[in-house]
Amino acid sequence: MTTGQTQLFDTMTRSKRLFEPLEPGKVKMYACGPTVYGDPHIGNFRSFVSADLLRRWLEYRGYEVTMIMNVTDIDDKTIRDSAKAREPIKEFTQRYTRSFLRGLDALNIRRATANPRATEYIQQMITFIQALIERGAAYVAEDGVYFDIDKYPDYGRLSGMDLTQAQTTERMAKDEYDKESVEDFALWKKSTPEELNRSENEPGLAWDSPWGKGRPGWHIECSVMTRDLLGDTLDIHAGGEDLVFPHHTNEIAQSETLTGKQFVRYWVHIRHLMINGKKMSKSLGNYVSFDEVLAKYSADAFRYFYLGTHYRRPLDYTDDAMKSAEGSAKRLENTLDLLEATQKAPDINLDLGLRERKLLDEVEKYRSSFEAAMDDDLDSHTAIDSLHAMSGAINEYLTTTPNKGVTLRAQRTYHSLLDALGLFEKRGGGADKLTEDIIRTLIDLRNQYRKEKNYKSADDVRSRLTSLGITLADNAEGTSWKIERK
Ligand SMILES: [Zn+2]
């Protein structure tokens, strides 16, 4: 494995740049995680899958990656919606944190090194805000503490806003706002009378601070957690494109004002997911939940769908696109099935002939085109083309008696590339010899029960196997079984 050849598109410089971490061989990476106020939706997961792809690719290239993804469990939306649900905010956000983690696992997204929760870092946030006040970059107002954006000369550079003439006197209390509202933003918000009321018997809603009871603004959360876990300068900060302004713009202003150092070396932003050509939103009624997709399609098809398009290009969720992803993913997986079956077949071909050499050459060729595509700002679309070409070459070779040693080499390479994409990690197709023997023993036991007309116990064995994903089929030759792919 070699490092130092991957190019990444950096939003700050608006150009592809050779990726080189501050410390050779080690990468400090942060991706903005979810605000846990609802079940995860498929739009959020485009950005999580893309961050995972970046992390996997850097690991493939031999880097040691420390990856942090936060969980926002206190902000305007968690307060608002936990009240609507009449549920204590802590339980409310914990429930949706679990549902987010389940989503990660379902999509084979490697767990981050840590998923810090904002409410665990309140003291550090208060200290951070105090230091900004001491530097004259923040001020106390009647409803909270605000960052004075006129004190940070580069404000807005990330999104390319020209603010050289702007003089702001307005303040923005909301966590989320659009480009028309270039205003001082809240670092700390004093609790409203309503929130104070709730907080009396609800922990996780208001904290004591030098400015009275309140809670942090959304943007300060990421600045504080990145600094605590990764230090003053990150190699990579990733997130959805909608975070460029105001969220990341504000993170930069806070962090660089405090440390006087560069906050982030490479900014990676992931394009929005569209649904049938439109932006997904609850109000448009075109909202598609994560579980809805997984009820219809396999997790690998879902992941394939995201990876099939470069992360900075438009991607549209449609049933046709998902069906096509399902078909293409199956074709790639079929090659894995063939390769595995070959390893169980008898040894006949032990030669390194022309066909073998041709296969090994092709595998090598497609491996390097895959790597070149991924090194070019994670062009997973083109990389997947190479993978299909490799799969075709392997399938072709396996039509005649294969040499196991040669197929093993092809299999290793094919596997390592699928691994870099995070595909087919939970294949349930294979079982080892002992597992097969145990399943066979249980099937014999079930058949014994049936002979004795003890149908209850027979059904019991069957349903317990089913719950493990092992399905039985009775036919004229006896009972066959298979492990279902989830
Ligand atoms: Zn963030």
Side-chain angles (χ1 to χ4, degrees), residues 161-180:
M161 294 187 291
D162 181 18
L163 300 173
T164 40
Q165 307 304 318
Q167 266 286 328
T168 57
T169 49
E170 299 295 315
R171 288 197 291 271
M172 172 54 70
K174 282 190 291 196
D175 280 333
E176 287 187 275
Y177 47 91
D178 55 31
K179 271 198 177 184
E180 279 66 57

Side-chain angles (χ1 to χ4, degrees), residues 30-33 70 72 218-219 221-223 237 243 247-248 251:
Y30 185 89
C32 287
N70 68 305
T72 297
W218 172 36
H219 316 296
E221 299 178 2
C222 288
S223 279
H237 193 318
L243 299 182
H247 187 53
H248 291 161
E251 282 185 34

Side-chain angles (χ1 to χ4, degrees), residues 257-275:
T257 300
L258 186 92
T259 67
K261 294 180 196 155
Q262 184 180 22
F263 175 42
V264 169
R265 304 179 65 244
Y266 298 83
W267 281 99
V268 173
H269 287 103
I270 297 116
R271 191 99 178 238
H272 264 318
L273 178 73
M274 310 287 280
I275 309 276

Side-chain angles (χ1 to χ4, degrees), residues 425-451:
E425 290 196 336
K426 288 192 217 100
R427 267 161 64 79
D432 62 22
K433 179 81 175 62
L434 179 63
T435 311
E436 287 181 9
D437 289 348
I438 293 170
I439 294 172
R440 202 25 85 188
T441 306
L442 287 165
I443 290 173
D444 290 346
L445 183 67
R446 169 174 170 265
N447 289 339
Q448 185 62 38
Y449 283 138
R450 288 170 62 189
K451 255 193 214 148

Side-chain angles (χ1 to χ4, degrees), residues 464-475:
R464 289 179 71 171
L465 284 170
T466 308
S467 71
L468 296 173
I470 299 156
T471 55
L472 307 185
D474 297 312
N475 45 51

